[in-house]
Amino acid sequence: MSDWGRRIPTILNSQELLDKAFHKASKVNLRGTNTLDTVKKTSLAKVSATGDILNSTLMKYVRAFPSLDKREEFYSELIDVLVGMDDLKKSLGAIGWCARRCNDLQRDYLRRIRGSKDASFIERLRREYYGRVSSVVRQIGKDLEFVGESRNKLRKLPEIDTSIPTVVIAGFPNVGKSQLIQKLSNARPAIASYPFTTKGVEIGHFEHRWRTYQIVDTPGLLDRPLEERNPIERQAILAIKYLADLIIFLLDPTETSGYSMEQQVHLLGSVSESLSGIPLIEVENKVDISDSNSSRAKISALEGLGVEELRTAIIECLSKVKEPSDP
Ligand code: GDP
């Protein structure tokens, strides 16, 4: 699922699609035993080629968009924000209808051509077929355009595996989220695009007893109170709800990040309210230079202090909330 957005082929508009089909058909020229036979064989082959190309191209478009099942609510939500799920389903439905219609017309005209013994009538049938498929394909012109535009937007969806137990890290900028992901991951975190933020999403992984865990930092998403967001940003943030099995809210009691503890606690309230129902661990970072005496867990993402204890807490928490993926 995670990279299907990038695998959607370029969507041709109705004129380009018809040009492609007719161009292919125009190259077909067969020889028969006499004029009637030549015209009949050639016309049958042209109608077959046109219908086949239209049907297979349109069906390829429909199949490129997977039906999103429950587990992929994260993506459904993002697709809904980006292009509108109902509109996308409607247009794909229209394209599927057109593919079937092209098929039916193909079958119908092949039968009629086969049954005719008049060369000029056969030519007329072939042109009539071209006219009818053209009109059917033009009817879905707007749908093809819409799906084409959607495809361009959906290619920017992040490649995140939604089936792996996932920790999302939240907190103001500069509190050490990126540093923590690096310390927890066993390889360099990957950066994936996220269409609602200028910065990419950072994704790290680690293994424990043959299970993979995913840690995600979402710059620009969970680092500002929700009330400052526009509706589109809000929905993009709420999509995180379907991705996160656990949230680590990172605070910086040294305030060297530039945010006061009061602001950070306010953001914590906003995040836990909007993502309610998801377990949340509050962690104070930069213990190496802080003298905080709160009861929160404390780490130094920079020096690694407390990071292994945090990993243990993550594993313990995630073992309860999600069946991890198969090894
Ligand atoms: P992010 O914006 O939340 O991802 O924060 P970064 O991970 O980029 O860290 C911001 C700054 O804080 C960087 O200069 C880090 O080196 C520093 N930093 C992160 N963790 C620690 C820590 O545990 N101790 C200290 N002293 N500095 C840290």
Side-chain angles (χ1 to χ4, degrees):
M1 167 70 207
S2 55
D3 70 337
W4 65 265
R6 261 152 291 271
R7 283 191 273 118
I8 305 171
T10 310
I11 311 286
L12 301 176
N13 68 30
S14 50
Q15 192 55 53
E16 290 166 337
L17 178 58
L18 289 169
D19 287 348
K20 175 178 159 172
F22 292 146
H23 178 71
K24 185 86 192 235
S26 73
K27 291 195 174 153
V28 176
N29 277 305
L30 300 178
R31 238 171 227 280
T33 47
N34 53 43
T35 311
L36 174 63
D37 195 36
T38 299
V39 169
K40 187 178 274 195
K41 276 192 174 133
T42 303
S43 296
L44 287 172
K46 282 180 192 289
V47 167
S48 292
T50 308
D52 288 353
I53 287 183
L54 292 176
N55 182 269
S56 66
T57 309
L58 292 168
M59 285 316 292
K60 186 171 74 184
Y61 296 165
V62 174
R63 287 196 201 99
F65 290 82
S67 54
L68 297 158
D69 63 26
K70 265 229 158 287
R71 222 176 56 182
E72 270 129 19
E73 265 161 328
F74 171 63
Y75 283 102
S76 305
E77 195 76 17
L78 292 184
I79 291 170
D80 201 29
V81 195
L82 279 175
V83 302
M85 192 58 116
D86 288 346
D87 290 339
L88 182 61
K89 281 188 179 160
K90 220 173 93 225
S91 284
L92 288 172
I95 293 174
W97 164 83
C98 181
R100 286 190 298 278
R101 192 80 193 97
C102 288
N103 227 6
D104 292 346
L105 285 169
Q106 183 198 43
R107 206 174 322 117
D108 187 29
Y109 277 84
L110 286 177
R111 186 181 47 77
R112 290 167 70 183
I113 290 172
R114 261 188 223 108
S116 173
K117 291 189 168 48
D118 177 340
S120 65
F121 185 61
I122 288 176
E123 288 285 15
R124 226 174 70 206
L125 283 175
R126 180 177 58 78
R127 279 197 298 275
E128 193 179 299
Y129 168 75
Y130 281 8
R132 291 191 68 183
V133 285
S134 297
S135 124
V136 169
V137 170
R138 286 209 180 90
Q139 263 185 62
I140 59 152
K142 286 223 154 51
D143 297 292
L144 286 169
E145 263 167 45
F146 177 71
V147 170
E149 285 159 17
S150 303
R151 175 252 188 197
N152 295 340
K153 291 183 187 165
L154 300 186
R155 283 169 71 80
K156 299 194 188 101
L157 284 177
E159 287 183 56
I160 301 180
D161 189 338
T162 51
S163 64
I164 302 177
T166 300
V167 186
V168 169
I169 306 198
F172 270 112
N174 293 320
V175 297
K177 299 185 297 297
S178 177
Q179 186 73 49
L180 176 60
I181 285 211
Q182 284 173 38
K183 269 282 177 316
L184 284 171
S185 307
N186 50 9
R188 241 177 107 92
I191 308 283
S193 67
Y194 198 78
F196 312 95
T197 64
T198 46
K199 284 182 171 180
V201 175
E202 211 169 340
I203 308 164
H205 295 97
F206 69 84
E207 268 95 48
H208 176 76
R209 296 210 176 130
W210 307 286
R211 283 175 183 166
T212 302
Y213 296 84
Q214 182 166 248
I215 322 139
V216 179
D217 172 23
T218 57
L221 285 181
L222 299 175
D223 58 6
R224 204 149 45 94
L226 209 65
E227 64 262 21
E228 293 171 16
R229 307 292 189 157
N230 67 37
I232 287 176
E233 282 179 319
R234 276 176 190 230
Q235 201 177 345
I237 291 166
L238 292 181
I240 300 283
K241 214 175 188 160
Y242 301 111
L243 178 69
D245 299 298
L246 169 67
I247 296 166
I248 291 187
F249 192 92
L250 209 56
L251 299 114
D252 170 13
T254 70
E255 301 184 352
T256 51
S257 53
Y259 299 94
S260 69
M261 275 307 267
E262 198 186 333
Q263 284 173 299
Q264 295 185 59
V265 169
H266 175 71
L267 178 62
L268 167 62
S270 166
V271 167
S272 62
E273 196 186 326
S274 50
L275 300 179
S276 64
I278 302 169
L280 185 149
I281 304 179
E282 298 175 23
V283 178
E284 288 185 2
N285 189 27
K286 309 193 185 177
V287 71
D288 52 309
I289 53 165
S290 111
D291 54 7
S292 158
N293 55 10
S294 76
S295 58
R296 294 189 183 99
K298 294 185 181 51
I299 61 162
S300 167
L302 192 66
E303 297 188 353
L305 292 165
V307 171
E308 288 317 306
E309 287 81 348
L310 180 59
R311 189 193 304 277
T312 307
I314 290 172
I315 292 165
E316 186 164 323
C317 185
L318 290 184
S319 67
K320 289 182 210 143
V321 293
K322 195 180 207 172
E323 262 304 297
S325 57
D326 290 332

